[in-house]
Amino acid sequence: GGVADRMSGRLLDGRELASHLRRELAHRLEKLVDPEREAGRPQLAILRDGRSEAAAVYAASLERAARSVGAGTRLVDAVEAGTERGLEATVADLNAEAGVAGIVVAQPFGDVAAGRRLVELVDPAKDVDGATPTNAGRLARGEPAFVPATALAVIAILEAYGVEVAGKRAVIVGRSAVVGRPVASLLVARDATVVICHRATRNLARETRRAEILVAAAGSPGLIRPEMVNRSAVIVDCGINAVPGGIAGDVAFDAVAPVVRAITPVPGGVGPVTPMMVLRQTIEAAERARNAQPSEASISSSGTDPSMNPSRSIVS
Ligand code: NDP
């Protein structure tokens, strides 16, 4: 008797995809490990500011995901590392350490400027949450790049459920550097026609109604109402908004789900897939570090990486 039963379309289940990815990544990771000596087991370093609850929650989800695929973790807390200088030195050490495949600075970290300064020190080849300006620039230019995990999760869901993107009109609500913009770049790289909406968009409903793929990344609970979507739309809801009694997406799910082709739930949609994308990029970084000559620190995973374009529908 849940909403899913009354849907005309289908539920794009992020938990199901996350567990599929977990098995796939665990398998891929084991190939990197020398069973004799535990050597080569990639580690994910997570820097977080324990004073921020949001950063702590994200860090914890990354730790869990890392453990679930067999990656090691290194947790660095801002308070323990002490001064900003101390943190900068820590990042430099992690950049240099061969066993550390990936580094994530869970945001918010300290104040905004301090968090940004720290991120800019991360080696782009270990920037497995696509947070550095270098990777953002590469992504914007359509070059191989590490990509913010939430944006990758959107694409992973569309691919896994066999949603065609090429030639489709995709509308994104939100233009942040962590979600809206990178989603737009990834969809453009996959030949969608992309519209990006924000607070200055004059008639939001007019734009969203034209979406064949609608990505909500506004941080506004229930913003997308049924009269703002069309029946053929596939909706991916990135919103994670605290509301009385739990968390809600940016889409008024109960009202919208019955009138669209497909939709991600919140919770259980983009959320569980996101940490798996960090781990996927961590394993990619480890594979590259092992295979490439140290001089060619080329990285990948955006539009042009074949591993990102498997036309494998796990559940279509
Ligand atoms: P930001 O607040 O940084 O950006 C929100 C964007 O949405 C802005 O571009 C803003 O426009 C736009 N926006 C907000 N309200 C409206 C509105 N009423 N009409 C049109 N545009 C609007 O948020 P984030 O991108 O960081 O996060 C978005 C959501 O995704 C949040 O709920 C967040 O919790 C969630 N999130 C989920 C993650 C996951 O793993 N699933 C990870 C990161 C975030 P303008 O630029 O004009 O202000």
Side-chain angles (χ1 to χ4, degrees), residues 47-236:
L47 281 71
R48 60 131 210 236
D49 185 338
R51 290 161 296 193
S52 155
E53 202 197 321
V57 168
Y58 189 49
S61 78
L62 292 180
E63 270 193 288
R64 262 197 313 276
R67 218 176 305 125
S68 78
V69 305
T73 52
R74 298 272 291 273
L75 195 63
V76 179
D77 194 273
V79 178
E80 287 154 29
T83 60
E84 190 170 341
R85 263 294 160 73
L87 283 162
E88 289 173 1
T90 301
V91 172
D93 290 346
L94 295 169
N95 283 342
E97 214 179 300
V100 174
I103 303 170
V104 174
V105 182
Q107 301 292 346
F109 196 102
D111 60 64
V112 174
R116 183 177 305 140
R117 277 195 297 274
L118 206 57
V119 166
E120 289 184 4
L121 297 174
V122 172
D123 179 349
K126 296 190 177 187
D127 173 26
V128 293
D129 206 0
T132 62
T134 300
N135 278 312
R138 287 173 178 161
L139 177 65
R141 291 167 60 142
E143 296 168 5
F146 283 130
V147 176
T150 306
L152 267 188
V154 171
I155 301 298
I157 288 170
L158 295 175
E159 275 178 1
Y161 288 94
V163 178
E164 211 177 311
V165 172
K168 293 288 165 63
R169 186 176 179 90
V171 177
I172 301 159
V173 184
R175 57 175 164 184
S176 76
V178 272
V179 194
R181 278 171 211 259
V183 167
S185 294
L186 291 171
L187 289 171
V188 162
R190 285 161 179 74
D191 292 338
T193 300
V194 174
V195 173
I196 304 176
C197 303
H198 40 73
R199 283 177 220 270
T201 297
R202 215 178 308 124
N203 187 336
L204 183 63
R206 189 179 59 199
E207 303 299 337
T208 56
R209 268 199 300 270
R210 296 188 62 200
E212 296 173 280
I213 295 169
L214 179 62
V215 180
S220 175
L223 174 67
I224 306 299
R225 308 280 321 156
E227 63 276 12
M228 297 169 72
V229 299
N230 76 69
R231 303 195 74 89
S232 63
V234 172
I235 302 187
V236 181

Side-chain angles (χ1 to χ4, degrees), residues 259-316:
V259 302
V260 293
R261 200 176 119 211
I263 186 169
T264 59
V266 177
V270 176
V273 180
T274 298
M276 287 299 148
M277 295 295 103
V278 172
L279 270 303
R280 186 169 79 188
Q281 295 194 114
T282 302
I283 292 168
E284 276 165 15
E287 289 169 348
R288 265 158 233 289
R290 201 182 61 166
N291 297 338
Q293 279 85 340
S295 60
E296 63 177 271
S298 77
I299 60 174
S300 172
S301 103
S302 84
T304 46
D305 183 341
S307 73
M308 275 302 298
N309 287 305
S311 23
R312 85 187 106 94
S313 290
I314 62 157
V315 235
S316 60

